[in-house]
Amino acid sequence: MDIISTYNLTLILLAAAFAFFMAWGIGANDVANAMGTSVGSKALTIKQAIIIAMIFEFAGAYLAGGEVTSTIRKGIIDSAYFVDTPEILVFGMIASLLAAGFWLLIASWLGWPVSTTHSIIGAIVGFAAVGVSADSVNWGSVAGIIGSWVVTPLIAGLLAYFVFLSAQKLIFDQDNPFAMAKRYVPIYMVLTGFVIALVTLTKGLKHVGLEFSTFQSFMIALAVGIVVGIIGKYAISRIKFDPSADKDMHYTNVEKVFAILMVVTACAMAFAHGSNDVANAIGPLAAVVSIVESGGEIQSKAQLAWWVLPVGAVGIVLGLAMLGRRVIATIGKGITHLTPSRGFAAELAAASTVVIASGTGLPISTTQTLVGAVLGVGMARGIAALNLGVVRNIVVSWVVTLPAGAIMSIIFFYILKASFGVI
């Protein structure tokens, strides 16, 4: 009996339902990467953050999520092992979506910021290694992902540490902090505009057919940065402030300037995140649709059906609206006390790390990057500024993500095989 031709509609509906569940989990857990620091530093209220994130995540996922997606993300398994039994790959992808969705639901409920990319990769590795063959897994890629648990938070943490220290030395430790802010914040704005434009160009717009060379991307980003800096300098010069006011008033006004910067960074990060991470949910779905519609042929890239991107985009938005506040609270308030200047340092460092990773091909989790950046900002004020209990729980959740996804995926894989009468 040919499973694929007999149950074609059933398999596509199952994959679509579980992809929606997975996208819901991405919204509930991962959107905190863009909005957690803004909420924690009180630059935005939780309601404002959720509304802004819903708009920009949906725009990123729907407009720039891609016409074509890789059917097996990150080259984590070898599709050659499934050529004779494509239905096994279909069962595996459906099981992986369900497993990753469940793990993200559990983690989000507990307020743990985990990697959605690692969740789906752990699930795919699980069903492939146990259900098919350990040789079907590219263990080198898995080792690279495990290595990224240390490397990317470390890079982001160091960058955030030095960005925040520079702001401390140049602005906050001076006799006239607001005057120093007028001088130096436009430079931070140029840097922010440059990095955010690079993130958007490298992670967001390549799917819309706007492919730029590295040199072109740098030039466009530099131009954007300079424009942002000029606008920022003009806006700050318009702020009226009494220079004879006490230092606390100076600090308050400086933080207001950083708060505006943070909102801009948060919007751009949400757009880039939506465009990039929606593939964690729609990649496996695209694989199932492609295999079923071609009668069992496995392709490395799949043209997306018109309805696939909305499944991911709507799922992300609903997950954020329904359960997003728990992880946002952990990143924004649980790790260390954030002000707009500290939150800005973390956002800028996280965005810079994303650019570095994109350029070097380093496997990256936006979650781990941002958590590393927040830790770096906390460390700039001494280890006592960190809530080590929360940090420990986060690190444990990272380590558990791959095996948790794998174990649940194996269980669901065998249940699916049995349900369709495959021995």
Side-chain angles (χ1 to χ4, degrees), residues 57-404:
E57 288 277 343
F58 185 88
Y62 189 64
L63 299 176
E67 292 299 310
V68 176
T69 188
S70 300
T71 53
I72 300 168
R73 294 266 283 165
K74 316 282 184 192
I76 213 76
I77 57 173
D78 184 353
S79 59
Y81 283 81
F82 302 91
V83 171
D84 296 329
T85 53
E87 69 275 8
I88 295 298
L89 183 56
V90 168
F91 292 150
M93 287 299 177
I94 293 172
S96 297
L97 285 167
L98 183 55
F102 260 115
W103 173 241
L104 290 173
L105 172 62
I106 293 164
S108 302
W109 185 260
L110 294 169
W112 292 347
V114 298
S115 167
T116 54
T117 308
H118 294 175
S119 303
I120 192 70
I121 286 174
I124 290 172
V125 166
F127 96 80
V130 175
V132 184
S133 163
D135 295 335
S136 67
V137 177
N138 181 346
W139 294 106
S141 294
V142 177
I145 289 161
I146 292 170
S148 75
W149 293 348
V150 178
V151 177
T152 48
L154 191 61
I155 294 170
L158 285 170
L159 286 173
Y161 180 85
F162 288 115
V163 169
F164 179 64
L165 274 192
S166 70
Q168 193 78 35
K169 291 273 188 293
L170 295 172
I171 298 171
F172 290 99
D173 290 347
Q174 300 298 319
D175 291 333
N176 191 339
F178 192 66
M180 293 298 106
K182 281 187 169 184
R183 181 185 299 175
Y184 290 112
V185 167
I187 297 170
Y188 286 116
M189 287 181 159
V190 171
L191 192 57
T192 304
F194 172 73
V195 170
I196 289 300
L198 261 186
V199 169
T200 310
L201 288 166
T202 54
K203 303 291 270 186
L205 298 182
K206 62 183 177 185
H207 304 303
V208 198
L210 291 175
E211 282 279 10
F212 297 106
S213 68
T214 306
F215 179 75
Q216 286 172 323
S217 295
F218 265 87
M219 287 298 101
I220 294 167
L222 189 59
V224 170
I226 291 167
V227 170
V228 169
I230 292 167
I231 293 168
K233 189 167 181 62
Y234 173 73
I236 294 169
S237 70
R238 304 270 299 171
I239 298 173
K240 296 285 180 272
F241 180 65
D242 178 7
S244 63
D246 65 4
K247 259 196 173 182
D248 285 345
M249 274 307 291
H250 279 250
Y251 291 149
T252 303
N253 280 273
V254 172
E255 291 291 3
K256 281 178 184 171
V257 175
F258 278 108
I260 296 163
L261 261 180
M262 280 203 70
V263 175
V264 176
T265 13
C267 293
M269 286 294 279
F271 182 86
H273 174 263
S275 66
N276 190 60
D277 278 24
V278 73
N280 289 328
I282 65 170
L285 171 58
V288 172
V289 173
S290 162
I291 293 166
V292 170
E293 289 187 343
S294 66
E297 186 187 339
I298 298 170
Q299 300 161 330
S300 62
K301 298 271 185 185
Q303 192 74 23
L304 294 184
W306 65 268
W307 53 269
V308 169
L309 268 178
V311 166
V314 173
I316 285 176
V317 165
L318 283 178
L320 165 67
M322 292 165 72
L323 199 60
R325 63 185 63 227
R326 287 175 181 254
V327 182
I328 285 176
T330 299
I331 286 185
K333 298 174 184 171
I335 299 172
T336 190
H337 175 65
L338 289 177
T339 60
S341 55
R342 293 171 198 157
F344 162 72
E347 286 273 358
L348 181 58
S352 303
T353 307
V354 169
V355 170
I356 293 165
S358 297
T360 57
L362 188 73
I364 191 170
S365 156
T366 45
T367 306
Q368 292 174 356
T369 304
L370 187 71
V371 169
V374 173
L375 285 172
V377 168
M379 283 298 289
R381 297 185 301 128
I383 198 152
L386 298 174
N387 185 334
L388 294 178
V390 171
V391 174
R392 184 194 64 235
N393 288 344
I394 290 171
V395 172
V396 168
S397 73
W398 290 355
V399 174
V400 170
T401 292
L402 276 176

Side-chain angles (χ1 to χ4, degrees), residues 40-58:
S41 64
K42 297 188 169 58
L44 292 170
T45 66
I46 187 87
K47 187 179 279 188
Q48 288 169 334
I50 285 173
I51 291 167
I52 290 171
M54 283 165 71
I55 294 165
F56 282 92
E57 288 277 343
F58 185 88

